Amino acid sequence: MKKLVVLFVMISSVSLAQRGHKDSNRIGIGAGLTQMSIYTDNFSVTPEAGWIGGLSVRGNYYNNWQMSFGMFFTDSNFSIPSQNGLLQGKTMYKMSAVQIYIVPSYVAIEDHLNLEFGPVLQINGKLTIDKDDENNLLLDQPGLIAKDIVDVSKINANFYVGINGGIKNVRARIGYQYGLTNFLGNLKNNDNVKLLGEKMKGNIGLISGQITIYL
């Protein structure tokens, strides 16, 4: 993780040094909220609120096009119906991840509105759940308990589309990410999933809204 931060700082410095004479080349500090879901036929997933925050660099590229590079940390959540004893409810899953993106953006209104799209590399650990929920029975898959599905794929590729609008130094950033890779693919290594004999497949859907302050 430290190496990723160092790499971000180095690229940011080079980017500013090359094009620092233009006002739109700025480092941004952003934070906001997320709502995460998983598109899958294996479970009934309910989106839940989370957070995201990090650093970005936005610079001129060509004519009305700019390029953004960013590194963000997120704790995003979703829930799945479950049962604990005789009580039915839901189990909350948390995904902690670092996201690195390099996306082009079209300047629709100079200094006020950009349209953004491009790839996001996501590196995440296992999903986390409350210890008291680990043995909850998953209602959609009665052969599985909550902790059986925490070891998801660790490296994922998403595609991002969004808008970045406001004034020169303060922008609201609203975007959507769709997972291009199978987020649940690693579950094939779980013994209980193997016994179930069902292929696990799911794609991330992540909505985010942030406020970014450009230095």
Side-chain angles (χ1 to χ4, degrees):
M1 192 67 70
K2 290 182 179 179
K3 291 181 179 179
L4 290 175
V5 175
V6 171
L7 178 63
F8 175 81
V9 173
M10 290 174 63
I11 293 178
S12 301
S13 299
V14 171
S15 187
L16 289 174
Q18 289 179 338
R19 297 179 176 271
H21 63 285
K22 294 189 177 182
D23 287 341
S24 60
N25 292 270
R26 297 174 179 273
I27 293 178
I29 301 174
L33 301 176
T34 64
Q35 189 174 60
M36 178 181 177
S37 186
I38 305 294
Y39 297 109
T40 176
D41 293 329
N42 301 114
F43 305 100
S44 301
V45 177
T46 300
E48 303 287 353
W51 63 267
I52 189 170
L55 301 174
S56 62
V57 175
R58 179 168 53 85
N60 293 301
Y61 182 67
Y62 179 76
N63 288 342
N64 290 332
W65 290 92
Q66 295 182 343
M67 188 70 71
S68 294
F69 174 82
M71 178 183 291
F72 290 89
F73 300 89
T74 179
D75 275 354
S76 294
N77 305 287
F78 63 92
S79 62
I80 294 177
S82 63
Q83 184 169 336
N84 188 339
L86 297 177
L87 298 176
Q88 292 189 2
K90 62 182 181 180
T91 298
M92 183 83 72
Y93 289 85
K94 176 187 292 185
M95 180 194 74
S96 297
V98 58
Q99 295 188 333
I100 302 170
Y101 72 86
I102 302 177
V103 299
S105 65
Y106 179 74
V107 182
I109 304 176
E110 187 174 358
D111 292 330
H112 295 292
L113 181 64
N114 286 39
L115 308 178
E116 304 175 320
F117 57 92
V120 177
L121 173 65
Q122 176 177 296
I123 303 171
N124 53 267
K126 293 182 179 181
L127 301 177
T128 58
I129 56 178
D130 191 276
K131 191 171 182 62
D132 294 335
D133 292 334
E134 288 183 350
N135 295 310
N136 288 357
L137 184 68
L138 299 181
L139 296 180
D140 297 312
Q141 302 287 350
L144 299 179
I145 58 176
K147 65 181 180 181
D148 284 331
I149 64 169
V150 298
D151 193 10
V152 293
S153 301
K154 306 301 189 302
I155 299 178
N156 293 277
N158 304 336
F159 189 81
Y160 174 88
V161 292
I163 59 173
N164 185 325
I167 58 177
K168 182 180 291 188
N169 294 327
V170 181
R171 297 282 189 97
R173 192 169 188 223
I174 301 172
Y176 175 77
Q177 294 180 39
Y178 179 78
L180 302 176
T181 49
N182 184 4
F183 185 65
L184 304 180
N186 202 47
L187 297 183
K188 64 185 179 184
N189 299 317
N190 180 274
D191 290 337
N192 289 334
V193 172
K194 290 179 182 178
L195 290 174
L196 197 64
E198 184 172 348
K199 183 178 180 181
M200 295 291 171
K201 187 178 187 305
N203 302 85
I204 291 173
L206 185 68
I207 300 173
S208 62
Q210 302 179 56
I211 297 296
T212 302
I213 298 175
Y214 289 98
L215 306 179

